[in-house]
C-alpha cells in the first residue's frame, strides 16, 4: 500500500532530536531527517523473504540502485568503520 512505510509516531520525535533515516522510499521520515542514508529497495537487492503465506522466497536484483544507494548491510558496515567498531564481514 502507498504510504505503508510512514512512521505513525513521527510527530512524537522532538524537533531537537538528531534524526537519521535509512531507507529507499523518501517518505516523511526522509524529509524530517538530518541525515539520509540511501538504501536499496527490495527490487534492487538480492534477498530472502517470507511472504504472507509463510513461504520463503528468494529474489534477485532486477534493477541497479540509483545514485549512492547501498544495501543495508553495506550502510551498517560503512558506519562501523567511521565509529571505529570492527565488524568481521566485508560481503554477504
Amino acid at each position: 500500500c502507498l504510504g505503508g512505510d510512514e512512521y505513525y509516531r513521527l510527530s512524537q520525535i522532538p524537533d531537537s532530536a538528531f534524526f537519521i533515516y535509512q531507507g529507499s522510499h523518501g517518505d516523511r521520515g526522509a524529509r524530517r531527517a538530518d541525515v539520509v542514508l540511501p538504501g536499496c529497495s527490495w527490487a534492487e537487492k538480492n534477498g530472502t523473504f517470507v511472504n504472507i503465506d509463510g513461504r520463503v522466497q528468494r529474489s534477485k536484483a532486477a534493477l541497479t540502485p540509483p545514485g549512492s544507494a547501498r544495501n543495508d548491510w553495506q550502510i551498517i558496515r560503512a558506519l562501523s568503520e567511521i565509529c571505529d567498531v570492527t565488524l568481521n564481514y566485508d560481503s554477504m
Side-chain angles (χ1 to χ4, degrees):
C1 78
L2 293 176
D5 291 336
E6 298 287 336
Y7 184 58
Y8 69 97
R9 292 188 177 169
L10 191 60
S11 63
Q12 295 176 7
I13 298 172
D15 289 336
S16 61
F18 187 78
F19 192 86
I20 300 172
Y21 174 89
Q22 178 182 339
S24 62
H25 292 81
D27 57 18
R28 282 187 292 173
R31 292 189 294 277
R32 159 66 174 81
D34 296 296
V35 173
V36 174
L37 303 174
C40 298
S41 75
W42 64 271
E44 299 159 347
K45 58 186 167 185
N46 296 323
T48 303
F49 303 90
V50 177
N51 71 14
I52 198 164
D53 296 323
R55 293 188 181 112
V56 176
Q57 295 180 299
R58 300 258 321 159
S59 68
K60 297 267 186 192
L63 303 169
T64 302
S68 58
R70 295 183 181 187
N71 285 303
D72 298 325
W73 74 267
Q74 291 172 316
I75 293 170
I76 300 302
R77 181 67 175 81
L79 281 173
S80 75
E81 287 183 21
I82 292 169
C83 296
D84 200 27
V85 174
T86 301
L87 296 178
N88 294 322
Y89 61 89
D90 291 320
S91 64
M92 290 301 270

